[in-house]
């Protein structure tokens, strides 16, 4: 694509100056006149009956305006994917993050003091903290009204005949892999401000990644609270990190709404860091049994996976991660026979939710670790087995994914070349290389009935352009990508474009910043709107210049005739013409883009995404056999992105995702002991610091996806998908031990080395 | 009991009544409503609250407000020139793509500012050391280090 002026450029992020000067207003910074501060009291026990709650002393504290308990939640309101989660619990608590009371007070300090004055009497109950125990016949029930701790969700996909394929396979590898809870660690904690007007219309200032869906959730809540026919407005403050953590609505938001309703004042709840660790929803931990086979030439014959996920005590949208896990399970490499089942199991642990990659990292860890085991059995180089089985354009995968553009092989080759794979592999001298590939949705994902996003463009009579988009800016740079796309179409500068993206009263509908969909969907939506407004402008310019539309071109804010450059008119002037002429008009265009992808059918078949994103990560490690410490010497992250609209921001996604992946692989873990979080702070949780950054190369592979805006696909999530298995595979190459349980800690490596020595000795 | 303290904030003398229990971060954010300095944890583990006190980068969330007496304090709000130009570090963070959600960025910039004020040409290791206590979840730190290097290299 030649002649592009803005698309493909390293344009600085539009809101970066605001953020670099400290002027950006995050939810933490927001003050609304008359605002009260809300605080939440959490359960002392992971499983207990609440015998009594006495709030009298808290209520009597000067400055306290309201104290709520489960008894104050109207009409048994519950939220969440299965509507099993009351914002304030009464009767029984099921986890240590259960909200049991809340206070609104004139200051945060008074609210905190009031929490201490709430007296709760509990009767402790034995808890279930292990999904395998919870699944057992006769296990006590987490939700007594249900018959089983296993959620009634249909996660099963079957294609071909796995049993027959097993018999015909020349080699089979099977094993069990497990992954841990990890949490988003957004630097800006969760929070909101809820406020009602005199007619009980609600405004929520929010951090949400799903403004339109949150608006709907809050409307539903108001209805249950008895407030019918009200309006809800969601205004996003600048969001201090998302990564999926804000893809649902949460108890604290409903509590703020209830407190605001009770006090008739705006109520702000912002989490402390401890609360952020305790009361937000981590990535699900999983136990995966996997078996894969290949023929004598290394061609994959089948993949069978059985997975158990710890759902925690309540059900968010996160319980649907097994459906997205199916993407790699059915379609990473060409595999003719697939069998997959997953069970989400209630326990008295924290409940889980979306986190970048939405299940894909857990599934890919098992698939790609096991693939190396299979390659070893078959006597094939791990790079070779990946090349042989790589996805290709034109393929229809078992789930009926239509593979369009596909740069998987190129990514694998980039890794091999840049890592010096052949020179470095197989030395078993404490240094080793490993790789892993990925497939992810790259052209949206139809998880809801709609996968659409709206854009409105209006042009003012100074020639400045306002783009009003449904998409959310969570730091990823959608503001800039959309501006570049619109600038490209209109031939005006990126600085002349203003992006409005944070207010449901103004912005059109969108299903949210998830599934790496924003560049693809919001980008296509903006592209369509820009083309429409360009046509309108050209039409007026043609009339004014007395030239046919076909003869006109727009460049650097000027419209001119290709036949006669003297005939030209600045962009802004066209607009003034439109506004000030008799019978004048306004220049506004709208466009709704809902991609031509499909919901899954009952058998989980359907082209979930218009296109798919690919990548391969390669890593060279050095393992200290004395200490078990792993040092990453070189890290290559190659990604097929279709087209890089902004290589600089794109690299940022790859570097950021990659380091989250390294944390996932080598250190991060929420330690829960019998339902109690033991390391809910930055000191003990150990998210990566600058010291953990290895030498890293982000390699951009462009496959030019015809359905993407200017050829682009999504890249928000892929950066952390193959990281853990690539590292695990490299460690195996270095010292001959395979760690199957994340995170790969020095202790686990030492233990495995010891066992290996025992076996050999 | 409130006490009066006097110090220099972004080159201006301030006299203010404070509660000795406050932290400097509280004074900045809640009393002065200067919200550029962020609170990411409140207990000294994330660096989002970094300000420069007498040339040193300090976590203001741990800094007792009474200690501010007589000191020179610079916050992110004090970096832009009077003409409204960004500080070279701010500009480099913007231009190098070092900013994503941005929550860590004021702290990152203040930490690196303290380093660059002290050292003409810091090494990469010194750069890393200076932002070791500043957590960022978005960027993987690569472009943040690049941005700081760019400023150092241009000198
Ligand atoms: S807020 Fe001060 S170090 Fe985190
Ligand atoms: S840019 Fe988001 S935490 Fe650093």
């Amino acid at each position: 694509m030649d002649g592009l002026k803005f698309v493909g450029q390293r344009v600085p992020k539009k809101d970066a100056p605001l953020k670099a000067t400290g002027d950006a207003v995050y939810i933490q910074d927001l003050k609304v006149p008359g605002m009260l501060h809300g605080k939440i009291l959490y359960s002392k026990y992971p499983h207990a009956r609440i015998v009594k709650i006495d709030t009298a002393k808290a209520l009597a504290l000067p400055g306290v305006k309201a104290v709520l308990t489960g008894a104050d939640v109207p009409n048994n309101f519950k939220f969440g994917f299965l509507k099993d989660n009351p914002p304030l619990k009464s009767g029984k608590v099921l986890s240590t993050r259960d909200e049991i009371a809340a206070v609104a007070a004139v200051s945060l300090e008074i609210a905190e003091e009031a929490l201490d004055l709430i007296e709760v009497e509990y009767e402790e109950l034995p808890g279930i903290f292990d999904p395998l125990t919870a699944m057992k016949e006769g296990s006590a029930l987490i939700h007594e009204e249900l018959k089983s701790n296993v959620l009634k969700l249909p996660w099963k996909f079957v294609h071909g005949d796995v049993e027959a394929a097993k018999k015909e396979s020349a080699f089979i590898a099977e094993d069990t892999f497990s992954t841990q809870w990890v949490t988003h660690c957004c630097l800006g904690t969760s929070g909101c401000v809820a406020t009602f007007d005199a007619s009980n219309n609600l405004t929520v200032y929010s951090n949400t990644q799903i403004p339109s869906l949150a608006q709907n959730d809050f409307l539903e809540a108001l209805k249950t609270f008895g407030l019918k026919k009200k309006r809800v407005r969601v205004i996003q403050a600048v969001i201090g990190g998302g990564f999926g953590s804000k893809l649902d609505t949460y108890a604290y938001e409903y509590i703020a709404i209830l407190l605001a309703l009770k006090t008739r004042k705006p109520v702000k709840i912002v989490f402390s860091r401890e609360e952020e660790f305790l009361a937000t929803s981590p990535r699900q931990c999983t136990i995966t049994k996997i078996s894969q086979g290949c023929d004598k030439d290394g061609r994959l014959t089948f993949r069978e996976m059985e997975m158990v996920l710890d759902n925690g005590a309540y059900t968010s949208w996160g319980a649907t991660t097994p459906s997205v896990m199916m993407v790699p399970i059915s379609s990473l490499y060409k595999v003719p026979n697939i069998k997959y089942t997953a069970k989400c199991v209630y326990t008295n642990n924290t409940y889980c939710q979306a986190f970048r990659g939405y299940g894909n990292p857990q599934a890919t860890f098992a698939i790609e670790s096991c693939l190396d085991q299979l390659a070893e059995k078959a006597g094939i180089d791990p790079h070779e087995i990946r090349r042989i089985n790589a996805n290709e354009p034109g393929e229809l995968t078992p789930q009926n994914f239509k593979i369009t553009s596909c740069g998987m092989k190129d990514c694998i080759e980039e890794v091999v070349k840049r890592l010096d794979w052949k020179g470095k592999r197989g030395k078993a001298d404490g240094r080793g290389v490993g790789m892993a590939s990925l497939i992810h949705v790259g052209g949206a994902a139809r998880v809801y009935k709609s996968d659409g996003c709206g854009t409105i463009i209006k042009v003012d009579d100074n020639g400045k352009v306002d783009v009003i988009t449904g998409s959310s800016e969570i730091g990823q740079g959608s503001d800039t990508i959309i501006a570049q796309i619109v600038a490209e179409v209109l031939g005006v500068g990126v600085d002349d474009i203003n992006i409005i993206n944070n207010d449901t009263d103004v912005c059109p509908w969108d299903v949210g910043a998830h599934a790496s969909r924003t560049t693809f969907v919001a980008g296509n939506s903006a592209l369509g709107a820009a083309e429409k407004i360009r046509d309108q402008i050209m039409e007026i310019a043609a009339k004014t210049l007395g030239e046919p539309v076909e003869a006109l071109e727009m460049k650097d804010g000027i419209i001119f005739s290709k036949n006669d450059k003297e005939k030209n008119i600045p962009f802004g002037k066209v607009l003034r013409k439109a506004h000030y002429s008799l019978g004048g008009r306004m220049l506004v265009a709208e466009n709704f883009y809902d991609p031509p992808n499909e919901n899954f059918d009952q058998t989980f078949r359907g082209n979930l995404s218009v296109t798919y994103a690919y990548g391969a990560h390669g890593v060279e490690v050095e393992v200290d056999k004395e200490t078990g410490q792993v040092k990453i010497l070189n890290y290559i992250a190659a990604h097929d992105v279709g087209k890089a609209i902004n290589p600089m921001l794109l690299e940022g996604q790859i570097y950021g995702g990659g380091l989250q992946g390294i944390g996932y692989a080598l250190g991060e873990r929420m330690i829960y002991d019998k339902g109690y979080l033991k390391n809910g702070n930055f000191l003990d949780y150990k998210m990566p610091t600058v010291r953990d950054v290895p030498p890293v190369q982000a390699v951009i592979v462009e496959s030019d996806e015809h359905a993407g805006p200017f050829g682009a696909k999504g890249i928000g999530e892929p950066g952390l998908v193959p990281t853990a298995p690539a590292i695990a595979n490299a460690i195996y190459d270095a010292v001959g031990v395979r760690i199957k349980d994340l995170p790969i800690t020095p202790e686990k490596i030492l233990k495995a080395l010891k066992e290996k020595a025992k076996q050999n000795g | 009991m409130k006490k009066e303290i006097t110090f220099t904030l972004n080159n201006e003398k301030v006299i203010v009544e404070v509660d000795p229990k406050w932290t400097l971060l509280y004074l900045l954010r809640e009393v002065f409503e200067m919200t550029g300095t962020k609170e990411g944890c409140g207990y000294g583990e994330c660096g989002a609250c970094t300000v420069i006190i007498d040339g040193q980068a300090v976590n203001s969330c741990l800094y007792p407000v009474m200690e501010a007496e007589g000191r020179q304090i610079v916050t992110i709000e004090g970096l832009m020139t009077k003409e409204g130009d960004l500080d070279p570090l701010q500009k480099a963070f913007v231009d190098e793509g070092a900013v994503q959600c941005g929550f860590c960025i004021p702290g990152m910039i203040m930490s690196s500012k303290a380093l660059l004020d002290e050292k003409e040409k810091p090494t990469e290791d010194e750069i890393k050391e200076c932002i070791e206590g500043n957590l960022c979840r978005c960027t993987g730190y690569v472009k943040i280090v690049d941005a700081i290097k760019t400023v150092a290299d241009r000198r």
Side-chain angles (χ1 to χ4, degrees), chain A residues 19 26 185-188 239-243 474-475 687, chain B residues 98-105 108 135-141 144:
Chain A
K19 290 169 170 175
Y26 297 82
C185 294
C186 298
L187 259 282
I239 297 175
F243 317 117
I474 58 171
M687 80 170 241
Chain B
V99 180
Q100 290 190 24
C101 87
F103 203 86
C104 70
I105 297 299
M108 287 282 181
L135 295 179
C136 173
R137 191 52 151 177
C138 300
T139 64
Y141 305 99
I144 289 177

Side-chain angles (χ1 to χ4, degrees), chain A residues 297-356:
Chain A
D297 301 321
R299 255 180 277 277
L300 290 169
T301 47
F302 76 92
R303 177 179 294 149
E304 183 176 24
M305 290 172 77
E306 236 175 75
M307 207 181 262
V308 174
L309 295 90
D310 188 334
N311 188 68
Y314 302 96
T315 311
S316 73
W317 265 95
T320 65
T321 45
S323 67
V324 177
M325 284 173 173
M326 284 182 198
V327 173
I329 290 170
S330 73
S331 305
L332 178 59
Y333 308 115
K334 292 180 212 154
V335 194
N337 301 288
I338 304 280
K339 191 169 166 196
Y340 169 60
T341 55
K343 292 195 163 83
C344 302
V345 186
Y346 281 123
T347 63
N348 291 114
N349 291 319
T350 186
Y351 76 90
C352 297
Q353 226 288 87
F355 189 166
R356 203 177 202 166

Side-chain angles (χ1 to χ4, degrees), chain A residues 19 26 29 184 273 651, chain B residues 29 38 40 100-101 143:
Chain A
K19 290 169 170 175
Y26 297 82
D29 309 327
H184 311 80
R273 180 55 57 187
E651 287 158 6
Chain B
R29 287 185 56 85
K38 301 297 173 201
Q100 290 190 24
C101 87
K143 288 182 183 291

Side-chain angles (χ1 to χ4, degrees), chain A residues 196-305:
Chain A
F196 284 92
D197 70 10
S199 328
N200 274 340
N201 295 311
L202 170 67
T203 298
V204 182
Y205 297 88
S206 163
N207 266 335
T208 187
Q209 293 177 238
I210 45 160
S212 304
L213 303 185
Q215 180 188 35
N216 196 51
D217 280 1
F218 297 150
L219 256 179
E220 287 297 316
L222 292 193
K223 272 189 221 157
T224 312
F225 300 163
L227 301 174
K228 308 249 155 73
K229 296 193 183 149
K230 298 299 165 195
R231 290 178 50 81
V232 172
R233 179 181 186 186
V234 175
I235 302 174
Q236 288 153 300
V238 175
I239 297 175
F243 317 117
S245 61
K246 299 163 177 87
L247 272 185
D248 214 334
T249 48
Y250 293 95
Y252 75 85
E253 293 166 302
Y254 297 104
I255 291 171
I257 292 170
L258 286 168
L259 286 169
L261 196 57
K262 176 97 181 176
T263 58
R264 309 300 313 170
K265 294 258 187 194
V267 174
K268 176 176 184 172
I269 295 183
V270 171
F271 279 3
S272 68
R273 180 55 57 187
E274 289 83 350
E275 233 176 336
E276 184 80 5
F277 272 101
L278 174 75
T280 62
S281 295
R283 190 188 292 290
Q284 325 31 41
C285 40
T286 57
I287 305 165
T288 306
K289 263 167 72 178
I290 178 169
S291 143
Q292 299 184 103
C294 65
D295 65 16
K296 61 178 191 347
D297 301 321
R299 255 180 277 277
L300 290 169
T301 47
F302 76 92
R303 177 179 294 149
E304 183 176 24
M305 290 172 77

